[in-house]
Amino acid sequence: MTMQETLTLLPDWLIWWFNWLVFAVAVLPLALLIWPQSRRVGVIAVFSSILTGAAVYGMFR
């Protein structure tokens, strides 16, 4: 069962919550790249979110 198939089995409110979490983890750290003081933290956060996303998708394979 793939991750997309698993998500279709969930209630709508849970899918919305999951989408918000994915947005918060994947997109919001990009805002840290705007300011020079937080660029190092932003790069680490973006890199770790990519690794985490790859691990989650790998678990569903």
Side-chain angles (χ1 to χ4, degrees):
M1 189 175 244
T2 65
M3 187 166 183
Q4 287 79 16
E5 292 170 344
T6 304
L7 288 175
T8 59
L9 300 173
L10 299 174
D12 287 338
W13 69 269
L14 201 54
I15 293 172
W16 281 98
W17 178 248
F18 181 74
N19 287 336
W20 167 250
L21 290 177
V22 169
F23 173 77
V25 169
V27 177
L28 292 178
L30 293 174
L32 293 172
L33 300 177
I34 296 171
W35 297 280
Q37 301 89 348
S38 62
R39 282 198 182 129
R40 183 181 303 155
V41 175
V43 169
I44 292 169
V46 169
F47 183 69
S48 64
S49 69
I50 290 170
L51 288 178
T52 303
V56 168
Y57 278 107
M59 289 188 319
F60 277 92
R61 289 186 134 210

